[in-house]
């Protein structure tokens, strides 16, 4: 996503292409894009940069959440999903997407109808498996009753633990993989944020926990987290990724980066084995309610179906 959506200050085409090829060379086996990212340009970038290496990675993309008449919105109607999928296949220059997600829940369309559209796409050979993003355990179960769901993608990190309310239980019960996006909390746990001085177009400038007065409070917690990483002899980003991967055997981390060195650092985290004491030290920092500020502003949060934490309900 970050190559041309969400965080501003995007790399040029040549640098983005080098990064994606370096990822494959380093052993990365899944690339995740979406119709929303750059209004389709991210999918085109993947095709241009690594389409010739298509057999080397699992390709994931998403539908429903996108840009409509220049505005971000949702359209989970079966006909809209079918159209978005065909457009994605064209942008990706392929006839098959391995894992295709409903990016968000369109509350105006029964989940059964949206999943039914993807089930027909599986039958047609256009996609290999169905995923859901930012959806609740109840929605997951309804969707799974229509067609087996392969993966749930939701924000998850030491800072963001909504999936622990009920989604992890649903994944364990139904045999569904969990893909943790923003596992380093949008850079907060990777040494990337010291002040609210984001480039133009960076979404963090509009997220409550990344702006003042909340950010100063949260950076104090991050300083404690950084100290735990230093004691363990690893980087903060690696500590965050190692913590995420240690939660459950069905959890996969999905870190994004625009920096080849950070990519190598992230890949190395996959082989870490953190001690019980280190994991407990992280948990002691990010106790319920420790982080100040909500994940999203109300308009964006309205598109998220994942359960709220007790402190968010309060």
């Amino acid at each position: 996503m970050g190559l041309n959506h969400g965080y501003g200050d995007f790399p040029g085409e040549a640098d983005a292409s080098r990064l994606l090829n370096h990822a494959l060379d380093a052993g990365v086996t899944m690339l995740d894009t979406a119709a929303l990212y750059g209004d389709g340009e991210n999918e085109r970038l993947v095709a241009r940069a690594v389409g010739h290496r298509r057999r080397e990675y699992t390709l994931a993309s998403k539908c429903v959440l996108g840009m409509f008449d220049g505005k971000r919105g949702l359209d989970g109607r079966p006909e809209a999903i079918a159209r978005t999928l065909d457009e994605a296949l064209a942008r990706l220059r392929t006839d098959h997407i391995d894992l295709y997600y409903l990016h968000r829940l369109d509350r105006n369309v029964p989940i059964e109808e949206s999943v039914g559209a993807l089930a027909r796409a599986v039958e047609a050979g256009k996609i290999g498996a169905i995923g859901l993003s930012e959806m609740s355990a109840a929605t997951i179960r309804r969707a799974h009753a229509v067609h087996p769901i392969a993966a749930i993608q939701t924000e998850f990190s030491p800072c963001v633990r909504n999936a622990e309310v009920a989604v992890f239980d649903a994944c364990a019960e139904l045999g569904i993989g969990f893909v943790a996006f923003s596992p380093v909390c949008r850079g907060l746990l990777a040494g990337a944020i010291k002040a609210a001085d984001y480039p133009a177009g960076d979404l963090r400038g509009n997220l409550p926990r990344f702006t003042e007065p909340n950010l100063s409070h949260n950076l104090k917690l991050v300083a404690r987290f950084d100290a735990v990483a230093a004691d363990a002899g690893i980087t903060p980003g690696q500590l965050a990724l190692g913590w995420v991967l240690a939660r459950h055997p069905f959890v996969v981390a999905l870190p994004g980066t625009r920096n080849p060195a950070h990519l190598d650092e992230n890949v190395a985290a996959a082989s870490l084995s953190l001690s019980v004491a280190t994991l407990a030290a992280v948990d002691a920092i990010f106790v319920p309610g420790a982080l100040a500020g909500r994940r999203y502003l109300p308009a964006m949060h309205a598109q998220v179906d994942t359960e709220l934490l007790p402190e968010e309900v309060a």
Side-chain angles (χ1 to χ4, degrees):
M1 182 183 83
L3 296 179
N4 52 18
H5 185 88
Y7 295 105
D9 196 19
F10 304 122
E13 173 89 10
D15 287 339
S17 181
R18 276 193 292 269
L19 180 76
L20 290 172
N21 279 280
H22 179 67
L24 299 184
D25 293 341
V28 169
T29 57
M30 184 169 75
L31 299 179
D32 181 277
T33 181
L36 174 71
Y37 304 160
D39 193 14
E41 182 56 27
N42 200 254
E43 291 176 322
R44 296 186 188 96
L45 171 64
V46 170
R48 293 192 299 266
V50 293
H52 62 293
R53 304 179 66 174
R54 181 66 184 81
R55 295 179 181 273
E56 297 180 42
Y57 56 92
T58 295
L59 175 62
S61 194
K62 312 179 195 72
C63 60
V64 176
L65 180 60
M67 299 301 292
F68 303 98
D69 297 324
K71 296 182 179 180
R72 174 181 167 124
L74 300 169
D75 195 340
R77 295 173 301 155
E79 60 269 30
I81 289 172
R83 181 174 61 252
T84 300
L85 172 56
D86 285 342
E87 292 169 349
L89 290 168
R91 289 189 292 262
L92 288 160
R93 301 177 189 173
T94 185
D95 60 0
H96 183 82
I97 296 172
D98 300 305
L99 174 61
Y100 204 53
Y101 292 93
L102 300 178
H103 204 161
R104 292 291 189 273
L105 176 65
D106 183 348
R107 301 178 194 276
N108 295 316
V109 181
I111 188 65
E112 291 82 0
E113 294 183 14
S114 297
V115 173
L118 294 188
R120 291 188 288 276
V122 171
E123 294 170 359
K126 293 182 178 182
I127 65 175
I130 298 174
L132 308 175
S133 180
E134 287 283 21
M135 298 198 191
S136 66
T139 301
I140 292 166
R141 289 190 170 90
R142 287 175 58 190
H144 194 75
V146 175
H147 187 281
I149 301 301
I152 305 300
Q153 184 175 146
T154 290
E155 183 175 359
F156 184 70
S157 72
C159 297
V160 179
R161 300 170 69 164
N162 299 71
E164 294 179 344
V165 176
V167 168
F168 279 163
D169 288 342
C171 288
E173 174 191 334
L174 301 173
I176 299 173
F178 182 90
V179 180
F181 80 77
S182 295
V184 297
C185 199
R186 305 187 188 277
L188 188 66
L189 301 183
I193 299 173
K194 302 300 182 184
D197 53 354
Y198 310 108
D202 192 312
L203 62 83
R204 291 170 295 190
N206 292 312
L207 301 181
R209 62 186 43 168
F210 291 92
T211 53
E212 297 297 355
N214 297 323
L215 182 61
S216 293
H217 169 86
N218 294 336
L219 286 175
K220 294 176 183 177
L221 300 177
V222 171
R224 294 170 56 193
F225 178 84
D226 291 350
V228 174
D231 287 344
I234 56 179
T235 69
Q238 288 176 329
L239 177 58
L241 292 170
W243 182 93
V244 167
L245 293 171
R247 303 311 284 180
H248 293 283
F250 53 78
V251 171
V252 173
L254 184 69
T257 186
R258 297 181 289 203
N259 184 308
H262 290 166
L263 189 147
D264 291 336
E265 178 185 313
N266 292 342
V267 170
S271 60
L272 290 176
S273 180
L274 301 180
S275 70
V276 172
T278 297
L279 295 171
V282 173
D283 289 334
I285 296 168
F286 296 107
V287 296
L291 213 66
R294 295 290 185 95
R295 269 213 290 162
Y296 293 122
L297 291 172
M300 291 182 69
H301 203 281
Q303 297 177 337
V304 174
D305 183 48
T306 309
E307 290 85 356
L308 295 174
L309 294 165
E311 61 267 24
E312 293 175 313
V313 175

